[in-house]
Every structure is written in structure tokens, then in C-alpha cells.
Amino acid sequence: MASGTIQGKMDTIEMCLKNSGEPMPRRERFSISPIGEYYRDLLEIDAWINARTASAQANSLLCAKLQERETRIKERVAYLAKKRGITADEMWVQILKGDAEDLSPGEIVDYANSNLDD
């Protein structure tokens, strides 16, 4: 059974319970600001058409949009890293840890004959 299916997820949970005796930890939830009546209606209809809850459909739509933008997001992180004189991986970690800060113009790393748009 594919791991992306409901049965696959149930099998994973069951296996975890058998192995450790404790359920898998739940992932942290976060909330978003209200999307407005029109978009809420579209979400409800889209969820119904796809036989999902509105929450599950919103999750699916958000993941699909992030997947679509992944390359552009990585390009933007690389740009910000270059301004700071660090690697894109270091910038990525700083952002995830909440340590990344905006730079003042005087803090920008000076690259001779370098274009930040590369």
C-alpha cells in the first residue's frame, strides 16, 4: 500500500504503536488569518468535490502551491545569503531557527565585480 494513502498512514501509525507503545507525536498546528467569505465558499465547494474536509483540502492546496514555488523560494534564499556572505544552506537554517534578521545597507557584504542577481 502506498504511504501517501490513508491506509498507508494508518499502517504507519499502527506500526509505531506496536513498536513503541506510544502514538506518533502530532505535528504542530498553526492558524492562518480568515480568508474571506468568497474564498471560504470556494474552499468548501472544492473540499466537497474532492471528498475531503475543508481543513484537509486547504492543506493540500497550500502544499501544492508551495511545491509550485519551491524553486523561486530557493532562489530568493540564495540571493539573501549572498548579500550576507553566507551559503544558502546557512541562510535556510537561520530562517528556520528564527535567527535571520534584515540587513542595514552598511551590513551588505561587498562583492567586487559581483552582481547579486546572478
Side-chain angles (χ1 to χ4, degrees), residues 12-116:
T12 302
I13 292 168
E14 188 176 299
M15 189 175 3
C16 184
L17 284 169
K18 285 180 183 175
N19 292 338
S20 68
E22 295 182 23
M24 291 181 4
R26 290 186 62 116
R27 295 194 175 170
E28 182 180 334
R29 293 177 181 249
F30 70 96
S31 61
I32 60 171
S33 53
I35 59 175
E37 181 181 358
Y38 179 77
Y39 288 108
R40 178 66 191 196
D41 290 350
L42 285 178
L43 178 61
E44 289 290 340
I45 291 166
D46 193 34
W48 186 87
I49 290 168
N50 288 287
R52 296 180 176 166
T53 65
S55 178
Q57 187 63 11
N59 178 292
S60 177
L61 292 169
L62 179 59
C63 289
K65 188 63 176 180
L66 287 170
Q67 225 174 12
E68 179 183 304
R69 295 182 59 179
E70 185 174 2
T71 299
R72 180 69 179 128
I73 292 167
K74 288 180 178 180
E75 289 170 354
R76 294 172 76 185
V77 169
Y79 168 84
L80 294 171
K82 190 171 184 179
K83 277 180 69 176
R84 288 160 172 76
I86 61 176
T87 68
D89 288 342
E90 290 170 319
M91 186 77 226
W92 193 271
V93 170
Q94 282 186 15
I95 293 168
L96 289 176
K97 289 173 105 181
D99 296 338
E101 295 181 6
D102 288 338
L103 295 181
S104 68
E107 293 176 308
I108 296 172
V109 173
D110 186 20
Y111 285 96
N113 301 319
S114 179
N115 182 351
L116 288 176

Side-chain angles (χ1 to χ4, degrees), residues 1-15:
M1 190 73 44
S3 64
T5 65
I6 292 174
Q7 185 59 50
K9 290 178 182 177
M10 294 299 290
D11 291 345
T12 302
I13 292 168
E14 188 176 299
M15 189 175 3

